Amino acid sequence: KQEVTQIPAALSVPEGENLVLNCSFTDSAIYNLQWFRQDPGKGLTSLLLIQSSQREQTSGRLNASLDKSSGRSTLYIAASQPGDSATYLCAVPSPYNTDKLIFGTGTRLQVFP
Amino acid sequence: NAGVTQTPKFRVLKTGQSMTLLCAQDMNHEYMYWYRQDPGMGLRLIHYSVGEGTTAKGEVPDGYNVSRLKKQNFLLGLESAAPSQTSVYFCASSPLGDYFSYEQYFGPGTRLTVT
């Protein structure tokens, strides 16, 4: 059974710091890994999707890497801003039914001025 | 494009009442999903649909029914609400494509409280 873990559960940093959020998964037979952002009381917004053949994807100040063999992905946020404060979730398709996503429980990030 | 929309945004039910949550998407996506999100449990899949007229069970289907009569709409029904169904419900959709690249797009959520 695929399990997805995110550490830390919460993170509070001053503005301007570079951050690394971690996501690990137990079954490396994945087609892709998706990172989402969720603002309080809101839905999920897709940030980046890394296909299994890719090592990383970049969007603005965000960079996500994927190491299938070790079952890990990291989301790097450069020069953090208060507007980055949100919960960040990673998700992978189930190995047995790729129509289903398995989510981690998220990292709640607070960036203070 | 409105993307994925959900109706209603908030609802309070008494135990035993019934209700239907509506999800609509205007992106012509084949796949649609219903999730619930609970503190400490993350998002869990309730039911999903791979096309008009089809539905399938997810991880936590008990107590819920769904219908996909039109491609753009996916309905989630609670026939007899229970306090354990207090949660935030999210609908999502994704296009038909290769497994490597398809993404899921989420609605804003419905916050349901069952007393």
Side-chain angles (χ1 to χ4, degrees), chain B residues 62-85:
Chain B
D62 293 342
Y64 305 95
N65 56 75
V66 288
S67 64
R68 183 107 180 262
L69 299 179
K70 294 182 178 180
K71 185 177 183 180
Q72 64 267 33
N73 294 338
F74 195 28
L75 304 179
L76 177 70
L78 287 72
E79 289 187 350
S80 180
S84 61
Q85 294 177 304

Side-chain angles (χ1 to χ4, degrees), chain B residues 11-18 79-83 112-115:
Chain B
R11 186 73 185 269
V12 178
L13 287 179
K14 294 187 189 306
T15 297
Q17 288 185 320
S18 63
E79 289 187 350
S80 180
L112 175 66
T113 301
V114 183
T115 61

Side-chain angles (χ1 to χ4, degrees), chain A residues 16-102:
Chain A
E17 278 205 6
N18 300 323
L19 309 171
V20 175
L21 307 182
N22 297 297
C23 172
S24 60
F25 45 94
T26 54
D27 191 327
S28 62
I30 61 170
Y31 284 99
N32 61 57
L33 184 143
Q34 197 167 356
W35 280 95
F36 294 89
R37 168 186 173 136
Q38 185 176 26
D39 293 287
K42 305 289 186 183
L44 279 70
T45 301
S46 180
L47 296 173
L48 291 163
L49 181 142
I50 313 176
Q51 297 184 24
S52 59
S53 59
Q54 299 172 327
R55 297 281 296 178
E56 62 179 53
Q57 279 283 350
T58 298
S59 176
R61 294 182 294 108
L62 304 179
N63 176 278
S65 66
L66 177 63
D67 184 344
K68 278 184 57 177
S69 61
S70 66
R72 293 184 59 186
S73 176
T74 60
L75 180 66
Y76 176 82
I77 303 176
S80 59
Q81 303 171 358
D84 295 328
S85 299
T87 296
Y88 291 81
L89 298 133
C90 63
V92 297
S94 167
Y96 310 106
N97 185 339
T98 51
D99 297 329
K100 302 180 184 181
L101 282 182
I102 309 296

Side-chain angles (χ1 to χ4, degrees), chain B residues 28-95:
Chain B
N28 200 36
H29 286 172
E30 291 293 331
Y31 291 16
M32 296 187 75
Y33 312 82
W34 276 108
Y35 294 90
R36 59 178 290 173
Q37 185 176 38
D38 303 289
M41 302 290 288
L43 277 99
R44 293 179 292 170
L45 183 65
I46 305 171
H47 286 282
Y48 65 104
S49 167
V50 299
E52 182 178 319
T54 75
T55 62
K57 293 181 180 179
E59 189 182 350
V60 288
D62 293 342
Y64 305 95
N65 56 75
V66 288
S67 64
R68 183 107 180 262
L69 299 179
K70 294 182 178 180
K71 185 177 183 180
Q72 64 267 33
N73 294 338
F74 195 28
L75 304 179
L76 177 70
L78 287 72
E79 289 187 350
S80 180
S84 61
Q85 294 177 304
T86 293
S87 187
V88 181
Y89 292 85
F90 289 101
C91 176
S93 69
S94 64

